[in-house]
Structure formats: C-alpha cells, structure tokens
Amino acid sequence: MDTKYIFVTGGVVSSLGKGIATSSIGLLLKSYGLNVTLQKIDPYINVDPGTMNPYQHGEVFVTQDGAECDLDLGHYERFLNSSLSRENNITTGQIYFSVITKERRGEYLGKTVQVVPHITNEIKSRITQLADSNNVDVVITEVGGTVGDIEGQPFLEAVRQMRLDYGKENTMYIHLTLVPFIKAAREFKTKPTQHSVRELRAIGIQPDILLCRSDSWLTADERKKISLFCNVPIDAVIDAIDVECIYEIPLIFRQQKLDQMILASLGIERDEPDLAEWELFVQKAKSPSRVVEIAVCGKYVELRDAYKSIMEALYHAAVANDARLKLKWIDSDRIEDEIALENALGMVNGILVPGGFGIRGVEGKIRIVTYARNRKKPYLGLCLGMQCMVIEYARHVCGMKGANSTEFDDSTIYPVIDLLPGQRKIKNMGGTMRLGNYPCKLEAHSLARKIYAKNMVEERHRHRYEVNPKYIKRLSEKGLIFSGRSPNGKLMEIAEVRGHPFFISTQFHPEFTSRPLAPNPVFYHFIKSSLETF
Ligand code: GLN
C-alpha cells in the first residue's frame, strides 16, 4: 500500500481542539490495524518551544529522544499509545535553519533560494521522511495556527502540493472550524465556517471533510447549508461537539462514520476496528463511584495548559482507581503562612508540586512540602517538586538552615541542589538541558520499587539542576531515601521518606508516559494512596 497523507487544518479561531481531533483520527485508523503516525507543524520561528515561557506556549512536552515539543505531541502519544520522536514536530525555525545551512554549504548550486520551491520542498521532505523512516501506512499532519495566518502560508502551500505529488487517492484534507451558537438569534451560525473554507480554497485546498466544533448537535438543515456553501458532501460534515471527556471524541467521530469515510477515500479495505478497551475506558471515566481531590501547587496555575500532561496523568490514574478527579489549583506564590496552607490544603486528598523554573513561588512550594510531611498527606513532587522536597528536608530535618538550590541562591552555604559539572560550561539555552529518557535503578524494599514493580525503569527528563552528591550522606542519614538512581549511582532520580503514607518525588517527569489505557504507576499509586489516606 502507498503511504497515505492526511492533513488537518483549522479555521475561524484557535483552541478548537485540533490536536485532539487529529489524535482521535489517528486512534480510529490505528484501531483498524494500520501503522499510523502523527505530526505537528508549528509555524512560529522558534526552533522549538523549549525556550518559551509557559504563559506563551503552555506545557513543553518532551519525547523519549529528548526533543522539546508542542503539547499536542502529548495528546498524540496518549491517543496512539505509542512514543513519538523529534521528527514528529516541525517548526518554521527548523525549516529555515535547515535551508539556510544548506545554502551556506553551497548545496543550492548558485540558485536563488526561495520560499517556493526551497522552503516548501524542505517541508514536504520532512513529511515524507517521517513516513519512510518509520514504514508507516498513514501520516496525519496537523498544521498549527489558523488558516489565513501569514506564517502558516508556506506550510499550506506545501500541503497543497502534496496532492499534486501523490494523487487524490493518497491524500486527504480535513478542516476543523467553529460553528458558534448565537444566543440572541437562537441559532447556529455557519458563516465563519464558510469564510474559513473560502480562504482555504483560495490557496487551492478544497477540504474533503469538515469537522464542525459546536456546543450541541447541528441540525440536518445546518449541515446541508454548510455542505452547499463549502462544497463538501453532506455526510462529510462531521459534528465535533463539546464533550466532558476528550477520550470520547474518537467514538463520536466513529458514530458519524468518519473512519469509514477516510478509509473509502484513501482506498483502504479493512475489517472492523478494535476499540473495545478504549470504549471501556470512556465508560469507566464517565461513571466513577468516588471522588479524589488533588491540589496542584505551581506558579503557572492561571494557564492550565502549562500542566497538560500532569492533568491527563492524574485523570488516567483516577479513572483506573474508579474515582472522579477534582483539581484544586494553588498558586504557590500566594502560600505565605499557616492560614493560607490550611485553606489551600486542609481538605484535599493529595498534594502535587509540579516542575518549574525560576525563584517565584519556590518558598511557597517549600512550605507546602513541610505541610504535607507533617500532616502525613500524600505528596508527589515532580522535578522542581523533588528539588523542593530535598531543600525542605535539608532545612528542617537535617538542620541545614538556608539550604537552597543554586538556581535560586548561588551563595547559599548548603547548595543541596546544584548544576551538574557538565551544565556549568553551557552558554546556549535551547535544547541544552538534561532531556529525554534516562534509565533509573530502583532500590529494593522501597516505595519506588513497589510502585513500579521492577528494578529498572526509563523515564523522561527536562532539567539542568540535580541533587548535589556532597549532601547525599547527610540527607540519607536523617531518613531521606534516594530510592531511584542513575545506573552509575551518581544521579538521584527518586527521593522518598518512610513512615509517611506517600511522600515521594521524582527528578524525571512521569506524566509524559501516562496513557489512558496504561496510567503511569507513580500517578496510579499517588491517587490510590490519596483515596486510602483521607
Ligand atoms: N528548574 C529546575 C531545573 O532546571 C527544575 C526543572 C523542572 O522542574 N522541569 O533543574
């Protein structure tokens, strides 16, 4: 079978859930036994989002091979239940970087280097290479941004050319738009969709399928109107209605035969899909019998997208524990005294301190750790959340007053968290942290070992600072156990304290490997313990 290319574009406004729609189509096709991969195009000029502020971009997702990526890659991995790599995310920055490097090497043999064909060829080769290197049946490429954006144009031009290169039987265009319900008029408005499709057609792309995001189901008349004005068959006007559980979207698409339509258009013949486990998950997610409330204590809490993978990992673990997840967002910058602590954390079942950069909110996080330790509330620290746990333990249990990370205080007399020697020389910021998968050896009889039920794991990292080896002995003597370490024993990957129902943290980010059908064990046990303890 020839490789098939599906392109997902978006119109009208951003944040319509293009990533989820793309992931849902991926899951549906995968459930037919096809080898599917998903790819995200980000039209910004940054080479990757690693250097962007979370308020600009939301979470930076990290792949196993250490690429700092758009958060949609997280959705792709969770829906496909497979791990992707750096080739699955392209940015304008990467494309130009590569073309300019080739130009400097003289590879264009004296030609004028232009957007068409040089930039567009580079884009197309990034799409087709992904198919070749992984032997995939279907590549689904999501074009970030909204149709009409200046920076998205070279990508849409490349996408248009793909049909010319590979034929209609091997390419498909799917467009996601908004169909708003106007309360005053008491009707859905199709005009924004019409404009958005017109814009796409002006570029030369006629969508094959429209996904219409709406509050509730569209009527037959509305679908007919959209079909007529947008030149799309009525059955190909698919409703992408708002749902409570994102993992239900593939099932809603299937109900409208989106999967069959795609297979027919691409000439793929397959038997029934296998979605039994997925359906069971959605069913369980929608009718849990208890509630678990978790406080997420970070400094980017106004922007939930900054903690996307954590939210999803908690959700997967809650479903597996038959519980409805309730999140309480705590701005660690505002936790200044006992009253604030009690108000924020008194009633929750478990406390999570996520990763982060920079000093703002750190002292609040340390107060939160003290509270969790003394009150014996289940605590999970991730990355910076582990570093705060070590600082707290050093200060309050080991008598190292003023202990800190050199990230926040470079003249501290107890630098319990410090830069690795290898990190000191680094001048460039982009892509230079300790990134991606690293193995971690788990100590016998520890909580970590019980959680993972094996003695070696691999998890993903994104940090510059580490537990300072000089203080390990002192911390351990007072009961802070480093139950996960790099295989050579030099890097501390997991810290825990005995005599507490659940007080553990990881230098890595277990949230990146959690999947609906396979929750990450750290999250699973955190939720389990939170339900049991309170
Ligand atoms: N700022 C810390 C470091 O660089 C923690 C990073 C994180 O939490 N991802 O090590």
Side-chain angles (χ1 to χ4, degrees):
M1 179 175 114
D2 289 339
T3 306
K4 310 289 178 182
Y5 297 98
I6 300 178
F7 300 97
V8 181
T9 54
V12 185
V13 288
S14 59
S15 304
L16 288 181
K18 211 163 0 118
I20 308 268
T22 306
S23 306
S24 300
I25 297 168
L27 169 76
L28 285 176
L29 297 182
K30 190 181 174 190
S31 72
Y32 283 92
L34 292 162
N35 187 4
V36 181
T37 196
L38 305 178
Q39 184 181 42
K40 173 81 192 278
I41 289 175
D42 282 309
Y44 49 68
I45 294 169
N46 305 62
V47 171
D48 63 43
T51 50
M52 283 190 222
N53 183 322
Y55 283 122
Q56 291 272 311
H57 186 270
E59 169 186 280
V60 173
F61 187 79
V62 181
T63 52
Q64 53 179 0
D65 60 345
E68 298 176 281
C69 292
D70 186 73
L71 58 80
D72 278 327
L73 272 275
H75 292 309
Y76 298 173
E77 289 204 356
R78 291 186 280 270
F79 278 71
L80 282 187
N81 195 12
S82 61
S83 296
L84 303 174
S85 70
R86 60 178 69 248
E87 289 88 52
N88 296 75
N89 194 185
I90 336 175
T91 65
T92 296
Q94 288 171 23
I95 297 291
Y96 274 81
F97 198 76
S98 158
V99 169
I100 291 171
T101 309
K102 285 183 191 166
E103 186 275 331
R104 293 287 81 185
R105 274 199 232 121
E107 285 184 29
Y108 295 108
L109 305 174
K111 291 210 180 75
T112 309
V113 181
Q114 294 178 301
V115 172
V116 182
H118 301 99
I119 293 293
T120 45
N121 282 352
E122 184 70 26
I123 296 169
K124 289 194 291 182
S125 78
R126 294 294 199 99
I127 299 170
T128 52
Q129 265 166 24
L130 185 63
D132 299 342
S133 58
N134 297 295
N135 216 348
V136 299
D137 300 317
V138 188
V139 182
I140 310 179
T141 303
E142 173 190 348
V143 185
T146 310
V147 169
D149 293 348
I150 292 177
E151 35 182 35
Q153 279 180 6
F155 292 104
L156 291 174
E157 168 58 17
V159 161
R160 178 193 71 79
Q161 293 175 17
M162 286 290 284
R163 177 158 280 180
L164 219 54
D165 297 346
Y166 295 94
K168 190 166 181 339
E169 65 288 4
N170 293 321
T171 50
M172 262 195 111
Y173 299 119
I174 299 181
H175 188 58
L176 173 69
T177 73
L178 176 70
V179 182
F181 185 80
I182 304 298
K183 277 202 193 113
R186 289 172 160 271
E187 54 181 19
F188 282 108
K189 290 291 177 190
T190 65
K191 193 71 75 168
T193 297
Q194 295 177 36
H195 281 299
S196 168
V197 172
R198 187 172 305 156
E199 187 96 35
L200 205 50
R201 288 165 72 187
I203 304 167
I205 297 174
Q206 165 64 52
D208 300 303
I209 292 175
L210 288 179
L211 304 176
C212 302
R213 180 81 192 260
S214 60
D215 298 346
S216 54
W217 295 100
L218 300 174
T219 62
D221 278 350
E222 281 140 6
R223 283 154 47 97
K224 213 155 124 192
K225 194 164 165 192
I226 294 174
S227 156
L228 180 68
F229 283 98
C230 299
N231 196 27
V232 166
I234 189 156
D235 290 342
V237 180
I238 303 284
D239 232 319
I241 56 159
D242 291 353
V243 284
E244 176 201 333
C245 164
I246 54 166
Y247 300 106
E248 198 181 351
I249 308 272
L251 306 178
I252 290 186
F253 284 170
R254 178 159 156 74
Q255 215 177 311
Q256 300 172 75
K257 302 193 167 51
L258 174 65
D259 47 345
Q260 289 167 32
M261 214 176 301
I262 295 174
L263 294 184
S265 167
L266 295 173
I268 306 172
E269 280 181 34
R270 293 282 150 146
D271 294 335
E272 281 299 286
D274 181 6
L275 283 163
E277 269 191 276
W278 195 269
E279 280 164 352
L280 201 66
F281 173 84
V282 171
Q283 213 179 338
K284 266 182 86 177
K286 287 168 77 176
S287 54
S289 60
R290 45 196 181 158
V291 176
V292 64
E293 186 172 19
I294 302 296
V296 179
C297 315
K299 68 167 176 177
Y300 313 112
V301 290
E302 298 91 336
L303 183 78
R304 306 291 150 87
D305 267 3
Y307 302 110
K308 198 86 216 172
S309 292
I310 292 175
M311 287 159 71
E312 294 307 316
L314 287 169
Y315 185 78
H316 306 154
V319 175
N321 277 289
D322 188 24
R324 178 178 304 283
L325 176 67
K326 218 172 127 188
L327 291 175
K328 186 165 183 185
W329 296 94
I330 308 297
D331 183 350
S332 57
D333 212 12
R334 300 235 168 111
I335 300 292
E336 284 170 347
D337 54 24
E338 280 301 312
I339 301 168
L341 275 168
E342 198 54 50
N343 286 342
L345 307 172
M347 301 302 284
V348 301
N349 300 93
I351 300 169
L352 186 148
V353 173
F357 294 83
I359 192 168
R360 187 171 71 80
V362 166
E363 289 302 320
K365 286 181 181 167
I366 294 170
R367 278 183 205 110
I368 288 165
V369 179
T370 312
Y371 180 94
R373 188 169 54 76
N374 289 336
R375 300 294 174 95
K376 299 218 175 335
K377 285 236 186 203
Y379 173 83
L380 174 60
L382 306 174
C383 209
L384 179 60
M386 165 157 155
Q387 298 173 355
C388 289
M389 176 166 153
V390 173
I391 296 168
E392 196 277 336
Y393 213 78
R395 285 186 192 173
H396 303 132
V397 184
C398 306
M400 292 185 240
K401 204 163 164 257
N404 216 330
S405 162
T406 51
E407 180 180 2
F408 315 125
D409 176 4
D410 56 14
S411 58
T412 169
I413 45 168
Y414 300 113
V416 289
I417 306 292
D418 199 7
L419 280 182
L420 283 174
Q423 285 283 344
R424 281 186 219 279
K425 298 178 229 108
I426 290 172
K427 294 273 179 300
N428 274 352
M429 294 305 277
T432 53
M433 278 188 257
R434 184 168 177 240
L435 290 165
N437 265 22
Y438 284 93
C440 164
K441 230 168 84 187
L442 306 177
E443 194 179 292
H445 313 298
S446 62
L447 174 60
R449 179 78 156 256
K450 184 178 153 216
I451 286 174
Y452 278 105
K454 43 183 168 180
N455 50 21
M456 191 78 128
V457 288
E458 281 212 357
E459 292 279 13
R460 301 183 195 176
H461 295 247
R462 183 174 185 252
H463 59 110
R464 238 179 254 290
Y465 292 80
E466 298 276 353
V467 177
N468 189 338
K470 272 195 235 152
Y471 296 94
I472 290 167
K473 193 159 170 274
R474 241 176 116 175
L475 291 161
S476 313
E477 278 166 3
K478 291 280 185 190
L480 187 66
I481 300 162
F482 292 103
S483 53
R485 299 180 186 212
S486 59
N488 66 6
K490 290 200 174 139
L491 303 175
M492 303 303 111
E493 304 282 25
I494 306 179
E496 61 182 77
V497 173
R498 303 237 162 99
H500 185 292
F502 193 97
F503 194 63
I504 193 166
S505 53
T506 63
Q507 187 57 75
F508 50 77
H509 290 270
E511 67 270 25
F512 292 142
T513 51
S514 186
R515 312 268 164 80
L517 303 185
N520 180 285
V522 175
F523 281 86
Y524 176 81
H525 285 274
F526 172 52
I527 294 290
K528 185 164 182 278
S529 170
S530 300
L531 282 160
E532 281 163 4
T533 318
F534 286 89

